[in-house]
C-alpha cells in the first residue's frame, strides 16, 4: 500500500487529452544527440530553383489561404498567372470572401503544383509561396500590361475581365517552400524565384 501511495504522489496531473506519466519516467536528455541535428531541408541549388520556376510558369490555378476575421486560415481556389516581372497575380471579385479577407489582412499563402494522373499525389512537386497580397485599382498604370499577361494564360477571362467588381491582386512573396517529392524539401528566397525582395 505504501508503494502505491508513493507512486501516486509522483504522478503529475495534466489537462485532459495529454499523456500523463510519473515525473521519474521523464526521458533523460540524450547527451550523444547533436544539438543541431542534420536538417531535412536540402541546400537550395540550381535544380530546385529550376523546378520552382517551372511550377510558377506552368501553374494556372492555386490554393489561396487567407485569414478570416477570427484569425482562422480559409482556403480558396484562384486563377494563377505571372505579371511581366514574374510576380504572381490573380483576378478576383470584390464580392469574394478571399478578396475581402485580403483587404482586411494581406498576409496570404499560395500553393501551386497539381498531382499527376498516376502515382501517389505526394510524390509530385508543389510550391508554397508566403507573402502579402495587394488588390490593385483598375486605373493603376500596370493594369493593361497585367491584363495582357493574364489573358495569355486565361483567355476565357476576357468575358469578365472588364467588369467593375473584378480587380487584379498582386502577391509580394517573402518566402517559399518547395517540396519536390519525398525527401526533397527546400526553402527558397524571393531571389531564388527571380523576384525582388
Amino acid at each position: 500500500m505504501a508503494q502505491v501511495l508513493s507512486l501516486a504522489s509522483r504522478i503529475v496531473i495534466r489537462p485532459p487529452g495529454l499523456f500523463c506519466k510519473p515525473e521519474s519516467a521523464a526521458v533523460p536528455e540524450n547527451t550523444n544527440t547533436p544539438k543541431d541535428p542534420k536538417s531535412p531541408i536540402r541546400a537550395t541549388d540550381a535544380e530546385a530553383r529550376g523546378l520552382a520556376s517551372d511550377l510558377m510558369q506552368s501553374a494556372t490555378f492555386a490554393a489561396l489561404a487567407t485569414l478570416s476575421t477570427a484569425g482562422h486560415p480559409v482556403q480558396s481556389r484562384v486563377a494563377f498567372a505571372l505579371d511581366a516581372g514574374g510576380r504572381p497575380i490573380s483576378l478576383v471579385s470584390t464580392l469574394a470572401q478571399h478578396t475581402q479577407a485580403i483587404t482586411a489582412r494581406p498576409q496570404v499563402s499560395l500553393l501551386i503544383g497539381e498531382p499527376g494522373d498516376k502515382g501517389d499525389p505526394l510524390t509530385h512537386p508543389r510550391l508554397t509561396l508566403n507573402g502579402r497580397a495587394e488588390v490593385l485599382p483598375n486605373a493603376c498604370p500596370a493594369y493593361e500590361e497585367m491584363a495582357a499577361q493574364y489573358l495569355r494564360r486565361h483567355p476565357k477571362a476576357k468575358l469578365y475581365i472588364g467588369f467593375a467588381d473584378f480587380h487584379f491582386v498582386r502577391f509580394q512573396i517573402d518566402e517559399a517552400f518547395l517540396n519536390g517529392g519525398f525527401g526533397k524539401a527546400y526553402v527558397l528566397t524571393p531571389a531564388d524565384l527571380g523576384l525582388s525582395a
Side-chain angles (χ1 to χ4, degrees):
M1 182 66 176
Q3 289 180 337
V4 173
L5 291 174
S6 176
L7 177 61
S9 67
R10 294 187 312 219
I11 297 293
V12 177
I13 305 301
R14 293 182 172 87
L18 296 179
F19 180 73
C20 296
K21 59 185 178 182
E23 287 183 357
S24 59
V27 179
E29 181 181 357
N30 184 349
T31 55
N32 294 323
T33 301
K35 296 292 184 182
D36 185 20
K38 186 176 180 181
S39 172
I41 305 298
R42 293 188 178 189
T44 301
D45 54 17
E47 182 180 357
R49 295 185 188 96
L51 179 55
S53 176
D54 289 345
L55 287 168
M56 292 180 67
Q57 292 293 335
S58 62
T60 54
F61 293 92
L64 169 67
T66 57
L67 294 170
S68 72
T69 53
H72 299 300
V74 179
Q75 293 273 347
S76 304
R77 181 177 288 273
V78 296
F80 182 89
L82 302 175
D83 68 8
R87 291 169 294 189
I89 59 173
S90 189
L91 183 66
V92 297
S93 169
T94 54
L95 304 177
Q97 181 185 25
H98 50 259
T99 307
Q100 296 172 26
I102 286 171
T103 303
R105 304 176 75 171
Q107 296 86 355
V108 297
S109 181
L110 292 161
L111 175 66
I112 59 174
E114 297 293 329
D117 295 332
K118 297 181 180 179
D120 187 336
L122 298 182
T123 63
H124 296 276
R126 57 268 191 198
L127 179 66
T128 298
L129 303 166
N130 291 342
R132 290 154 286 132
E134 180 185 10
V135 179
L136 302 173
N138 291 345
C140 75
Y143 180 86
E144 293 299 330
E145 183 181 58
M146 279 191 293
Q149 290 286 121
Y150 188 84
L151 288 173
R152 289 190 186 99
R153 201 170 297 200
H154 300 279
K156 292 184 179 180
K158 65 182 179 181
L159 298 174
Y160 53 85
I161 195 170
F163 289 4
D165 63 306
F166 276 84
H167 298 268
F168 281 108
V169 57
R170 185 166 54 202
F171 301 96
Q172 179 72 30
I173 304 305
D174 298 324
E175 60 183 1
F177 303 96
L178 172 66
N179 189 324
F182 289 125
K184 297 180 180 179
Y186 305 88
V187 175
L188 289 82
T189 65
D192 290 323
L193 302 174
L195 305 173
S196 57

